[in-house]
Amino acid sequence: MVYNSPFTPSYYKGTPDPKISMTSQSQGIQQLLQAEKRAKDKLEEAKKRKGKRLKQAKEEAIAEIDHYRLQREREFRHKQSNIMGSQGNLSTKIEEQTTEKVRDITSSFHKYMENIMKQLLNMVYDIKPEIHPNYRDTV
């Protein structure tokens, strides 16, 4: 295409060389393709870094959650042992009191058994026949 207008700048005047314009166009296309490839590579690299960061953040969050869970479980077991420990002491005290009472009762039983048996047998053997006060003689 030839531009021969009086207002056309000097660099547009004359006939363009088809070889120069084709090679410059192909070089421009090649540069655009390379730039596009570099941009795509940078995007893929950024996506990989983002994926690594997300994976690392997830692992750190899991580790932090596990640490927190272990800490809370330790606190719970400590509180539970304090509470249950006091209940355990209470149950041992009750058990000691019970064994002491059983011991007292058995010693009391052995101490008074002979006297009580004698009294009981005396009452059984000493029979006094009496007429009941409500009994009416109908004859």
Side-chain angles (χ1 to χ4, degrees), residues 26-135:
S26 67
Q27 285 177 351
I29 291 172
Q30 287 298 323
Q31 286 177 348
L32 285 174
L33 289 174
Q34 288 174 354
E36 186 179 337
K37 186 178 181 207
R38 284 194 306 267
K40 187 188 291 185
D41 290 343
K42 284 186 178 183
L43 280 174
E44 287 178 14
E45 187 179 325
K47 284 181 184 179
K48 286 180 185 177
R49 282 195 312 260
K50 181 181 177 184
K52 285 181 182 179
R53 280 194 314 248
L54 286 173
K55 187 176 180 182
Q56 182 182 6
K58 183 178 179 182
E59 289 172 355
E60 288 175 0
I62 289 172
E64 190 174 334
I65 289 170
D66 289 342
H67 176 72
Y68 180 74
R69 182 182 299 126
L70 288 173
Q71 180 184 0
R72 296 297 287 184
E73 284 179 0
R74 252 186 262 121
E75 290 174 7
F76 173 73
R77 276 190 243 115
H78 180 69
K79 288 180 181 179
Q80 187 179 24
S81 67
N82 285 344
I83 292 171
M84 290 302 190
S86 64
Q87 286 181 355
N89 293 341
L90 184 63
S91 65
T92 55
K93 286 179 183 178
I94 291 173
E95 192 173 319
E96 288 174 1
Q97 288 175 354
T98 305
T99 54
E100 186 178 331
K101 288 229 184 220
V102 168
R103 216 176 306 126
D104 289 345
I105 291 172
T106 53
S107 68
S108 169
F109 167 77
H110 289 295
K111 183 177 178 182
Y112 296 112
M113 180 183 73
E114 196 170 324
N115 287 335
I116 298 294
M117 288 300 289
K118 283 181 184 177
Q119 286 179 5
L120 185 63
L121 286 175
N122 282 337
M123 290 175 72
V124 169
Y125 292 145
D126 189 25
I127 300 174
K128 296 179 185 173
E130 295 178 353
I131 297 177
H132 196 275
N134 288 338
Y135 177 75

